[in-house]
Amino acid sequence: MSRKDSFFLIFKFILPVGLWIFLFRSVLLGEASISGENFLTYSIVKFYLDNLQTGVYPLWNPYLFWGIPDHITLINIGTFNPIWFLTFFLNKVGMRFYTAYLMTIVTYFFIGQLGFYQLVKAIVRNPIAANMAFVALTFSSLSIPLFAQLIMLIIFVPSVWFFYFLVRFCQNWDKRYFVGIVFCLMIISTTYLPFYFLTVFLTVIFLFAIIYFSMFKGILIEWFKFLRKNLILSFISLVIIILSLWPAYQSYRMVAEHEVIVPFRYGAPTDVYKKGLTLTFKGTTDGAMSARMLADDLFSNLNQISYGNDGFFYVTTFLYLIACLAALSQFNRLVVLLVFLTLILFLLAISNAAPLHQFMFNYVFYFKLFRNLHYFMPFLLASFILLVAEQLRILLENKGTLAQLRWLNMAFIFAVHLGWIAFLATRENVICSSYLTIVISLLFFLFYFLKQGKMNEKLFILVLFLGMVVQPIEVFSWHNAKAKNYKSGVIKKCTQLPSVKPVFSFIRPLEHVRKGIDKNLKVDPSQNFFYMYRVSMVDSPVFFMPYEYGFLTYWSYYLSKNGPKEYIQIYTRNKFLVYDGVEVLDRPEMHLNTMKLVLLNNRNVAIIAADQESTHDPRLLSLIKEGSNLKMSHAAVIDSPSEQFKIKHFDVNSIKIETNFVTPKFLVYNDSYQSDWQAFVNGKRVPLYRANIAFKGIAIPAGKNEIYLRYHPLGGQYIYFFLLVVFGIVFLYLITSLTINRRRTREIYG
């Protein structure tokens, strides 16, 4: 590598990355912790990887809310994304799990930055402008939620690579870029709400079709030719993308069929029992960027950005100066497209502070699923920075007018920079680096125009880099200093836990597990405790907190809200109860008084719903006949293994029990009922009943039996393992094809 290439490599990537790591060292070194929202992501990643290494793809979580379907939660992180196996690998070679997780998300962050750099270079076709865009996005507010709200980055990274592969494919129609498009769509389809990406994609296509109409028609024709020429590849890609939609379909089905609910998404408390979708409302503003910052915060109070503010828009003032300097330059169609794209994304991100969101809410169905409109913020940042990169290219390449209009250009440069100084002087609490940025920008552009664009290239890049980072250095320093003030005993404890295996206990605790939690730290919010039980895989107390932090099964929620709470907590401490009889009610949820007697007196008769297979199971019929004589006796509580009852196997998706009762029994497992659970007795499928309103019940014959219960939605965990293999194959093929092509290019061109 030549000295020139080494210089550019240092200032393009090594120096920005090194500086960024230095600025965020407090979190990376453990002096500050991730905040509560990122702790959610951490808990999901750890729960997923810890179970995966035991050979189980975790679809159910038995530790929260009496049991919840957790494959819906896993969509938050995109479990098929190969990046999470970096955490697994780093942990296996000796790195602490939490440190491995931090290294993974930082790596993923810079994978996204590299994708953005490649995208800008492919569109703008100017390496200096592309490098400016890379540095600008790296030191923008996209970094701020990295340790606070990772979901935005998880959404953004595959999206930006999708647009890169799409642009490169439309430029040369190379198969490897087509595979890149397909792989990115696979990742996006299996990650939190792909509708964010879909909105941005459709907006770009709409604007491109209008502004580049002739080119758009030509691209469509070439797409059709490629697909027709590569029918096998096209068919396989279509099948793979459809398969990738399976987890999203399963989650949508469960919510649409009202088996799973998200109570906080509904307006009136009664709506939760009527609606089958997790809808949000036009009036929701807490998920908008406008609820997290004021217009003045773009330039003022940059030393007061609170840790955990995941909807804050920030880019260096240097970008605004470039935009102003380019205001009188020639406009092209790309600038027009990016201006409109930035404006549309801004209007969406501020939610109902602008009328666009209300229109979209009324006429685009999936906007009713959005709550966090500030998740458009990474796309807004990227669009604005890409716009400025194109404007910078126009300025740098507009050499023809430099000699003729030199003094006019000098006057305009002074006017813009002095105007910005005057503007900031009218603001309150403007940090010093804002003024320093203006000074560096003034000297940079004056020198460039005086030299008529013939500056020393190394000096040019150095000054440009300094102008881009001097303000973010101060902003991030203030922000990361505040991160040290975030204290959480729960997070501190959980990030010290190694990989764990699922733990089974017969009895649930009544109170929080506080062992190892520093009592001198401030009281943790309830959601941190909620995530703690997912990390440690031990039972949480019974409905110990508000419901908005999980996807609850319908009947568990119904019982918890309408049943006698003082008795529910006592009753559900015990996971297993054995009854000698059952009582079949048409609608047991409407017989809460009867249920109260069952809970209060531990009556020896379980309640089941009559709308199931109760009239066809001979084992159950005998128990129904005996039930009327057992109302005054008590059910047997199983609180430990015995000769009559043993746990032979347990994982989060299934449990295998060995029983040996003298007479037929009815077993109630106080884990939430959901219709995708299946029951087997001695290998034969038998009915599983919704017992005592919300739980699993099964009729057991006398004698020695093996009872097997498993959570098995259509396809079970097998289809998820199959998808993991498919994603791995496509990813390896993509990496291999890109690497081989890069080597060939080097061999040809040196």
Side-chain angles (χ1 to χ4, degrees), residues 13-179:
F13 302 113
I14 297 177
L15 189 58
V17 172
L19 177 60
W20 188 94
I21 291 174
F22 174 78
L23 291 174
F24 284 91
R25 66 192 182 281
S26 60
V27 181
L28 298 177
L29 295 177
E31 298 173 4
S33 72
I34 55 176
S35 72
E37 287 290 338
N38 200 322
F39 184 44
L40 163 63
T41 307
Y42 175 76
S43 71
I44 299 171
V45 171
K46 193 169 188 299
F47 180 77
Y48 168 64
L49 293 178
D50 282 354
N51 280 285
L52 205 63
Q53 64 182 315
T54 66
V56 174
Y57 188 98
L59 302 176
W60 186 263
N61 189 329
Y63 304 111
L64 301 171
F65 293 144
W66 306 330
I68 59 174
D70 227 26
H71 56 97
I72 300 178
T73 309
L74 293 181
I75 291 177
N76 282 335
I77 65 168
T79 51
F80 302 100
N81 193 325
I83 192 64
W84 298 122
F85 289 96
L86 177 61
T87 303
F88 181 83
F89 172 77
L90 293 175
N91 180 239
K92 287 303 177 184
V93 297
M95 188 176 289
R96 192 161 62 105
F97 192 95
Y98 177 63
T99 306
Y101 170 78
L102 292 180
M103 294 301 102
T104 299
I105 64 176
V106 169
T107 301
Y108 201 51
F109 172 77
F110 282 108
I111 288 174
Q113 304 307 96
L114 179 61
F116 183 66
Y117 168 79
Q118 296 287 3
L119 175 63
V120 177
K121 191 167 70 169
I123 294 175
V124 176
R125 297 178 179 271
N126 183 293
I128 293 178
N131 185 239
M132 181 280 296
F134 171 82
V135 175
L137 190 63
T138 299
F139 293 94
S140 71
S141 55
L142 186 63
S143 297
I144 291 176
L146 181 60
F147 303 106
Q149 174 57 278
L150 189 64
I151 290 179
M152 282 196 289
L153 185 71
I154 293 174
I155 295 171
F156 175 72
V157 173
S159 300
V160 75
W161 276 101
F162 167 86
F163 282 110
Y164 164 70
F165 287 127
L166 179 63
V167 170
R168 296 293 288 127
F169 180 67
C170 292
Q171 289 174 346
N172 59 25
W173 309 101
D174 193 321
K175 287 183 181 179
R176 61 200 171 108
Y177 295 124
F178 180 79
V179 174

Side-chain angles (χ1 to χ4, degrees), residues 370-504:
F370 286 152
R371 176 175 176 268
N372 296 308
L373 273 299
H374 67 287
Y375 283 5
F376 283 111
M377 192 265 287
F379 299 99
L380 173 61
L381 283 166
S383 177
F384 176 70
I385 293 172
L386 180 54
L387 168 63
V388 175
E390 172 63 7
Q391 291 178 309
L392 179 62
R393 181 198 66 79
I394 293 172
L395 283 174
L396 298 181
E397 296 180 1
N398 192 18
K399 299 178 182 180
T401 60
L402 290 180
Q404 301 174 7
L405 305 174
R406 180 187 304 179
W407 299 111
L408 182 60
N409 284 324
M410 300 299 104
F412 181 63
I413 291 171
F414 269 108
V416 167
H417 288 82
L418 291 177
W420 267 93
I421 292 175
F423 169 73
L424 292 182
T426 64
R427 307 290 93 187
E428 295 182 356
N429 195 26
V430 176
I431 58 177
C432 296
S433 58
S434 298
Y435 294 103
L436 181 57
T437 299
I438 296 175
V439 172
I440 294 174
S441 173
L442 175 63
L443 296 176
F444 171 79
F445 283 105
L446 281 177
F447 195 55
Y448 180 81
F449 274 63
L450 286 171
K451 288 286 185 177
Q452 299 182 28
K454 298 178 181 179
M455 287 176 59
N456 178 277
E457 196 169 14
K458 292 182 179 180
L459 178 63
F460 178 88
I461 293 175
L462 175 61
V463 177
L464 180 63
F465 175 77
L466 290 176
M468 295 295 299
V469 302
V470 65
Q471 188 189 54
I473 287 174
E474 183 177 4
V475 172
F476 287 176
S477 296
W478 284 108
H479 173 265
N480 296 332
K482 289 181 173 61
K484 296 180 181 180
N485 297 325
Y486 181 84
K487 304 294 183 182
S488 166
V490 172
I491 295 178
K492 180 181 178 181
K493 174 189 176 183
C494 288
T495 52
Q496 294 172 348
L497 284 176
S499 293
V500 296
K501 294 183 178 181
V503 176
F504 179 82

Side-chain angles (χ1 to χ4, degrees), residues 283-295 297 306 309-312 349-353 371-374:
T284 300
T285 58
D286 63 328
M289 199 170 72
S290 55
R292 287 161 163 76
M293 64 179 295
L294 301 173
D297 293 336
S306 59
N309 186 342
D310 55 357
F312 196 91
I350 61 176
S351 186
N352 61 346
R371 176 175 176 268
N372 296 308
L373 273 299
H374 67 287

Side-chain angles (χ1 to χ4, degrees), residues 615-629:
T615 58
H616 303 289
D617 187 356
R619 299 184 184 89
L620 190 68
L621 292 176
S622 62
L623 294 171
I624 295 174
K625 294 176 182 177
E626 298 173 7
S628 59
N629 301 319

Side-chain angles (χ1 to χ4, degrees), residues 229-243:
K229 183 179 179 181
N230 300 275
L231 286 177
I232 296 178
L233 177 61
S234 302
F235 177 76
I236 293 174
S237 300
L238 179 62
V239 171
I240 290 175
I241 292 173
I242 292 175
L243 283 174

